[in-house]
Amino acid sequence: MTSPLEAANALIDAFGRHDTEAYFASFAADATFVFHTHVRPLRSRSDYEQLWYAWEQDGFRVLGCESTDQHVQMLTSDIAIFTHRVRTLARTGDVEETAEERETIVFQKRDGGRWLAVHEHLSPALEA
């Protein structure tokens, strides 16, 4: 990816298609995660992958994802903060739910110039 915005949109697209291989490839191995739906921070991509696969065992599947209000803040030439509002349609078993959330993803240029997510923070979206 040539820009953090392109990297963010590729990550969002993979998530929305439930393409776990492409989705997790968007994160650095040492990425950290803070989710309002989980009791503790996750300290690596591997921790998140284990949680994700446990969700899949319960029938979890992402059916779609819509990103709006996207913004990229460049901190340095190799660190960027991406924020957006995200609406996710997911199914667990026979139950479909829509989540309205705000998300911050920190990207760092690594591995020969590739933008990788190194931190993700997800919180519920509040209505205005």
Side-chain angles (χ1 to χ4, degrees):
M1 301 298 147
T2 58
S3 77
L5 183 59
E6 290 173 325
N9 282 315
L11 183 155
I12 294 162
D13 179 63
F15 176 79
R17 291 182 289 108
H18 199 94
D19 180 345
T20 55
E21 184 176 339
Y23 176 60
F24 285 111
S26 299
F27 294 98
D30 61 346
T32 57
F33 306 85
V34 177
F35 301 139
H36 67 97
T37 57
H38 192 63
V39 67
R40 63 176 178 80
L42 303 169
R43 302 293 186 203
S44 69
R45 181 182 66 209
S46 176
D47 287 349
Y48 182 22
E49 287 174 308
Q50 289 174 20
L51 179 63
W52 179 281
Y53 296 131
W55 292 340
E56 286 184 328
Q57 293 299 312
D58 291 334
F60 172 75
R61 178 127 185 116
V62 178
L63 303 176
C65 181
E66 177 185 347
S67 172
T68 58
D69 196 24
Q70 295 185 341
H71 181 262
V72 173
Q73 177 185 3
M74 295 298 300
L75 296 184
T76 68
S77 62
D78 64 348
I79 297 174
I81 299 172
F82 170 77
T83 58
H84 68 141
R85 185 177 178 108
V86 61
R87 172 185 282 184
T88 302
L89 176 62
R91 181 181 64 235
T92 302
D94 294 332
V95 178
E96 286 187 11
E97 293 182 294
T98 300
E100 297 276 350
E101 296 163 311
R102 295 177 299 170
E103 185 172 46
T104 301
I105 304 172
V106 179
F107 285 91
Q108 184 176 32
K109 195 183 287 186
R110 291 187 177 180
D111 299 337
R114 183 168 177 236
W115 287 98
L116 290 174
V118 296
H119 180 74
E120 178 181 352
H121 185 122
L122 193 62
S123 60
L126 302 175
E127 295 302 319

